[in-house]
Amino acid sequence: LTATRVTGMASVGHLTIGGMDFEQLATEIAFGGGVAELAGVRTELYGGVFEGGLTIDATGETSLAHLTGALGGRPVASDSGTISSL
């Protein structure tokens, strides 16, 4: 699967991940070669609207995540470091 590249669009009415509730999630997705990219993300989160992107890189011994965007018009950026399980 590392040579396979998948791209598309996704939209979900409600999604809960790690205790966070996302409403009306819409995003462009691309993954392949151990890297997943969500671009043009738009979702209702914490009573506001988040717009931005997320990259998860699972090419090394540990997986890394990078989030950028804005929540309620305020800039948000995060490098989570390692992810223990995807």
Side-chain angles (χ1 to χ4, degrees), residues 56 62-63 82-86:
I56 299 173
T62 57
S63 298
T82 61
I83 301 171
S84 58
S85 63
L86 291 174

Side-chain angles (χ1 to χ4, degrees), residues 24-76:
Q24 306 306 316
L25 172 69
T27 185
E28 300 170 28
I29 58 172
F31 59 89
V35 177
E37 298 171 311
L38 283 71
V41 176
R42 185 176 194 289
T43 187
E44 296 173 14
L45 179 67
Y46 298 125
V49 175
F50 172 81
E51 295 180 297
L54 171 69
T55 301
I56 299 173
D57 184 341
T59 58
E61 289 188 28
T62 57
S63 298
L64 303 173
H66 178 72
L67 173 77
T68 58
L71 178 60
R74 295 199 162 142
V76 175

